[in-house]
Amino acid sequence: LQSVFMLIDWYDTLHFEVRPNGQISREDLSTPLPTDDLITRAARLLQQASGTALGAHIAIDKSISAQAGMGGGSSDAATCLLALNRLWGLKLTAAQLVQLGLQLGADVPFFLLGQHAWVEGVGEQLRPISLPAGRFAVLKPEAGLDTRSVFAHPMLERNTGLAIISGFAANPYGFGRN
C-alpha cells in the first residue's frame, strides 16, 4: 500500500461508560451494526492485551455509511482504543496502541495517529504530512463495497509503479489514482 490518507470533518459519535464487571456491550443509537463489529472487537482486544478486569458499555451514533471507503469502522475502532486506554487507566503508549490497531485493520493506525499521513506497508508505516485545504463531494452508491473484497479482487492492478512522497508533494490533488 502506498497512499495518502486524509482526515475529513465527518464522523460517528461514540459514548463510553466504564463497567466494573468486565462486560463489553454496545448499543446502536442509529444504524444497526453487526454484533461483532470493530468497536466491540477493539474493546475486547484492549481488554485482553492489558489484562484489565474493567469493561465498558459503548453507544454509537453512526453517521458514516458502512462500506463507503471512508474508514468509519476503523475510525470507531481507533476511538475505542484511545478512549478505553484513558478511561481504564492503562497508560499504553501510542506505539502499543498502533500494534493493537493493526490487528483490527490496516486503517486503524492512521486514525490513531490523528493527522493526514503518507501510508505504506499494510497501513503501519505512517508519515505525517501537510495538505492544502480542499473541498470534496463524497458520493456513495447504495450498494457498498467491502474493502477486503476490493483488495482481493483478481482485476485489481498489482503492478503499478512505486510512488514516492516527493511526487505526491509536487501535485497533491493530481497525483496518482484511486
Side-chain angles (χ1 to χ4, degrees):
L1 174 70
Q2 291 176 307
S3 186
V4 170
F5 285 13
M6 173 186 223
L7 294 173
I8 62 171
D9 61 354
W10 191 6
Y11 53 88
D12 299 331
T13 303
L14 285 80
H15 307 270
F16 295 86
E17 179 183 327
V18 175
R19 289 204 165 149
N21 63 4
Q23 295 288 326
I24 302 289
S25 61
R26 194 199 69 242
E27 176 184 0
D28 300 325
L29 300 177
S30 54
T31 306
L33 296 172
T35 304
D36 194 34
D37 73 321
L38 281 173
I39 298 166
T40 53
R41 288 176 45 211
R44 280 194 221 104
L45 180 64
L46 185 62
Q47 188 181 51
Q48 180 183 19
S50 68
T52 186
L54 296 172
H57 178 71
I58 307 160
I60 177 168
D61 187 5
K62 193 87 176 124
S63 295
I64 300 173
S65 301
Q67 296 187 333
M70 302 296 296
S74 296
S75 172
D76 295 341
T79 299
C80 184
L81 291 173
L82 291 166
L84 292 179
N85 185 46
R86 178 173 288 188
L87 291 171
W88 289 343
L90 302 177
K91 300 182 182 173
L92 295 179
T93 66
Q96 290 171 307
L97 291 175
V98 165
Q99 288 306 309
L100 290 173
L102 197 53
Q103 295 177 49
L104 297 164
D107 296 353
V108 178
F110 163 71
F111 288 105
L112 288 166
L113 176 68
Q115 56 187 311
H116 309 314
W118 178 265
V119 182
E120 294 186 272
V122 293
E124 83 287 6
Q125 298 171 33
L126 302 163
R127 187 177 311 162
I129 60 169
S130 295
L131 291 172
R135 294 175 78 79
F136 302 93
V138 177
L139 305 174
K140 179 199 173 282
E142 208 170 300
L145 290 173
D146 176 63
T147 303
R148 183 172 289 149
S149 299
V150 170
F151 278 98
H153 198 280
M155 292 187 65
L156 179 67
E157 279 189 46
R158 301 178 195 290
N159 62 349
T160 56
L162 186 63
I164 57 173
I165 197 166
S166 62
F168 169 79
N171 186 10
Y173 293 129
F175 180 82
R177 63 177 191 244
N178 190 355

